Amino acid sequence: MHMAITMGGITTALASFSVESENEAKPSPGSGPVTKKTTQAIVLMLLPISIGIIAYALFTFYWRSRCMERKQMGFFNDVIGPVVLCGLIILSLATIMMMSVMDFFR
C-alpha cells in the first residue's frame, strides 16, 4: 500500500513537470530532462498501476478479514497477486527506461 501511494505521488508530481511547452523550441539531444510527451506516457503507465495496487491491497485486506471472521482454517496468503503486480512494475519501469533513453538521444 505504501508503494502504491508513493508511486501515485511521484506520478502526480511528474504530471506537472515537462521540458517544453507549445511555444518553446525543442531541447538539444542529451540537454536535460525528458520531454512533455515522454512525461505524459510515464504518467499514463504508472498511475493505473498504482491504482491497481491500491485496489489489490483493499481486496486482500477484506478477503483476509472475512477468513478470520469465519475462523477458517488454512493459509491466507496469495501467491499469484504479488508476482503479477511485481511483473507489471518491472515491465513498466523497463518501458520507461527505454523511452527515456530514446528521448535522450533524440
Side-chain angles (χ1 to χ4, degrees):
M1 187 69 145
H2 295 288
M3 182 180 68
I5 293 171
T6 303
M7 276 179 52
I10 290 170
T11 304
T12 305
L14 273 174
S16 63
F17 293 114
S18 67
V19 172
E20 62 188 12
S21 68
E22 276 61 355
N23 298 331
E24 292 181 12
K26 287 199 151 224
S28 61
S31 67
V34 295
T35 60
K36 186 174 185 177
K37 183 179 177 182
T38 305
T39 304
Q40 289 174 347
I42 291 170
V43 168
L44 288 175
M45 268 191 286
L46 288 181
L47 198 56
I49 291 175
S50 63
I51 292 170
I53 291 173
I54 291 171
Y56 170 74
L58 184 64
F59 167 76
T60 304
F61 174 77
Y62 281 120
W63 171 63
R64 289 179 179 171
S65 176
R66 263 186 270 121
C67 289
M68 286 185 227
E69 284 176 0
R70 296 177 187 160
K71 297 180 182 179
Q72 292 179 341
M73 297 297 291
F75 297 105
F76 301 144
N77 61 348
D78 183 16
V79 180
I80 297 172
V83 173
V84 170
L85 291 175
C86 184
L88 281 173
I89 292 171
I90 289 172
L91 183 66
S92 68
L93 292 178
T95 305
I96 289 169
M97 185 185 78
M98 292 304 296
M99 289 173 58
S100 297
V101 167
M102 288 172 44
D103 195 33
F104 180 78
F105 290 112
R106 212 180 292 174

